[in-house]
Amino acid sequence: MSTPMVYALHENPEWWPPFADAFAAEGVPVTEWLLTEGTLDLTEAPPEGIFWSRLSASSHTRGHGLSKDYARAVLSWLESHGRRTVNGRRVLELEMSKVDQLTALRAAGIAVPRTVAAIGPEQVLRAARSVPAPFVTKHNQGGKGLGVHRFDSVEELAEHLAGPDVEHPVDGITLVQEYVQAAEPRITRVEIVAGELVYAISADTARGGFQLCPADACALDPATGRPVVPPGATLAPDPDQELFTLREDVDPALVQQYLAFADRMGLEVCGIEFIEAADGRVLTYDVNTNTNYNASVEAVAPRSGPRALARHLGSLAARLP
């Protein structure tokens, strides 16, 4: 008998090549299920297999505004039939809401930045008055650092909100969050697969700012706004130019907190991000459940994130009856 298929539910083919290579290297059969359009016959039973969701909160920025709701329908259908999902229906909601992430992290005893959620421009300004300047605004449902801005005063924010360049959040919720002055210009992302630390990476905020998507497809040419690397290709590692580097000195106690949080939330694949503040605080601010991996880090890391994921999904498939 053949091993049941692994199905990868996603909406962005540009992020897929490193995973395709990993599944091929591990000998795990995988089928892409693109959730950009389609039909769902609710009278039919789903196929047997393992269903891995890597839907992104930023899908609407690629013209796939309906993919999130399509994914909700598909995952509800799968789980109602008892199919094994990885990062399933509950995790999808965590991906789609920074409010959900921050409240869940706080409930788990993990420190997060002071944040106020607001709906409507007047309420955004009201929220900003309660957060000491400087502060940042960000979309509740976003990704890649899109829509994140720093402001030094409420007046500066008001001018932005009244201007032509304002970006409205897709779900109507804007977060006003304390600006965390970092001890060093970096953030750290801890990659977890199947209850284990894969590795941690540092991202250079002095050069990368707020847009720190690690996928090669996110690397944009500033002149054209298009990806530096075409779909299917990879960046050649250049240590002197890398935004992302392997980090090996993350506090083991923090890693254990993250592993416990992942277990509590049913997160089998995730990247959790934190910043070390100049005042000594360690603040966790983002949970990525459709995590991507950076080629330059993969080239020097002790193990591969995509291959660890492929092995995990393949082992789940092999255990199905």
Side-chain angles (χ1 to χ4, degrees):
M1 296 179 62
S2 61
T3 300
M5 182 66 67
V6 172
Y7 294 87
L9 284 61
H10 73 107
E11 51 75 38
N12 186 10
E14 290 187 359
W15 284 345
W16 182 247
F19 297 99
D21 292 344
F23 281 101
E26 294 295 327
V28 177
V30 64
T31 293
E32 293 179 73
W33 187 346
L34 283 177
L35 297 182
T36 52
E37 61 179 7
T39 60
L40 194 62
D41 189 341
L42 302 184
T43 65
E44 297 287 337
E48 297 292 339
I50 302 298
F51 298 85
W52 163 46
S53 170
R54 55 175 284 101
L55 262 291
S56 170
S58 65
S59 61
H60 62 283
T61 68
R62 291 178 288 277
H64 301 154
L66 299 180
S67 290
K68 301 161 192 176
D69 288 312
Y70 189 10
R72 289 180 172 106
V74 169
L75 290 170
S76 293
W77 177 60
L78 292 170
E79 292 175 2
S80 73
H81 284 272
R83 297 297 185 264
R84 177 66 161 87
T85 59
V86 173
N87 282 11
R89 184 69 171 82
R90 173 65 187 94
V91 172
L92 178 66
E93 298 309 321
L94 194 72
E95 168 68 18
M96 297 306 160
S97 171
K98 287 180 169 51
V99 168
D100 197 351
Q101 294 169 23
L102 294 169
T103 54
L105 287 163
R106 281 177 56 87
I110 297 171
V112 302
R114 170 160 168 68
T115 307
V116 181
I119 299 175
E122 290 302 318
Q123 296 306 313
V124 173
L125 290 173
R126 180 180 179 183
R129 294 186 186 100
S130 69
V131 178
F135 52 80
V136 297
T137 61
K138 57 179 65 175
H139 294 179
N140 179 56
Q141 193 174 121
K144 303 185 296 184
L146 297 172
V148 181
H149 300 284
R150 170 183 162 160
F151 298 96
D152 291 322
S153 68
V154 175
E155 292 73 24
E156 185 181 347
L157 172 59
E159 183 178 349
H160 172 74
L161 293 175
D165 298 326
V166 65
E167 302 151 306
H168 297 290
V170 68
D171 65 353
I173 302 174
T174 296
L175 305 186
V176 180
Q177 190 172 83
E178 68 170 299
Y179 175 77
V180 180
Q181 182 62 53
E184 297 182 41
R186 69 178 180 184
I187 60 94
T188 300
R189 178 162 165 158
V190 175
E191 302 288 2
I192 295 169
V193 174
E196 296 182 356
L197 169 69
V198 179
Y199 51 69
I201 67 173
S202 285
D204 184 346
T205 57
R207 291 193 297 129
F210 293 122
Q211 297 198 29
L212 293 169
C213 168
D216 291 339
C218 289
L220 301 181
D221 183 331
T224 66
R226 295 179 179 177
V228 172
V229 183
T234 58
L235 287 170
D238 181 354
D240 295 329
Q241 297 297 321
E242 292 301 332
L243 285 177
F244 304 96
T245 55
L246 186 69
R247 182 173 179 185
E248 300 180 282
D249 64 344
V250 177
D251 183 357
L254 182 63
V255 172
Q256 288 303 313
Q257 277 191 298
Y258 287 169
L259 293 176
F261 176 78
D263 181 65
R264 173 177 179 167
M265 301 302 298
L267 283 164
E268 293 179 69
V269 187
C270 63
I272 303 178
E273 297 182 9
F274 69 88
I275 186 169
E276 292 146 302
D279 61 13
R281 293 178 298 163
V282 176
L283 300 172
T284 302
Y285 64 90
D286 199 14
V287 180
N288 299 277
T289 72
N290 67 318
T291 190
N292 287 294
Y293 301 93
N294 180 262
S296 61
V297 174
E298 283 278 309
V300 298
R303 57 191 298 213
S304 164
R307 292 191 66 167
L309 171 64
R311 283 193 296 273
H312 173 56
L313 295 173
S315 69
L316 294 178
R319 294 200 295 267
L320 287 177

